[in-house]
Amino acid sequence: MMTRMTCPHVSDLPESVAPDNPAGCADCLAAGEHNWAHLRICLSCGHVACCDSSPRRHATAHFHASEHPVMRSFEPGEDWRWCYLDSRIV
């Protein structure tokens, strides 16, 4: 069994969040775009945004605008989380 390392920011997260747009990157869709590589969900507020391999990098932009530190992959079968403040998987 693999033990996942964590960071202090995980303990500040709500128990669960609902995705604000389960259909895709909320920011891309609002701009009429559908061009993203992978999706991420903010674990503070549920904002769904595209990853840094996508042209607009909305997940990182959301972190800079909101200062919400931890996101999770929103891809089927993936459950890893990333802390922007600690620059590591948690």
Side-chain angles (χ1 to χ4, degrees):
M1 181 178 196
M2 186 174 127
T3 302
R4 182 180 288 187
M5 293 187 62
T6 190
C7 70
H9 308 104
V10 171
S11 63
D12 294 333
L13 297 173
E15 198 165 307
S16 66
V17 294
D20 65 352
N21 196 334
C25 175
D27 302 302
C28 286
L29 292 171
E33 299 178 11
H34 296 83
N35 185 24
W36 56 77
H38 301 285
L39 297 172
R40 310 295 181 235
I41 184 170
C42 173
L43 294 180
S44 293
C45 70
H47 184 68
V48 176
C50 55
C51 71
D52 284 355
S53 295
S54 302
R56 303 285 182 230
R57 302 176 180 182
H58 286 125
T60 296
H62 176 72
F63 160 68
H64 289 295
S66 68
E67 297 183 1
H68 294 162
V70 183
M71 66 84 181
R72 179 180 55 80
S73 173
F74 198 59
E75 295 298 313
E78 295 183 358
D79 68 351
W80 58 268
R81 301 173 299 188
W82 176 259
C83 179
Y84 286 100
L85 295 175
D86 292 324
S87 298
R88 70 178 194 199
I89 292 176
V90 296

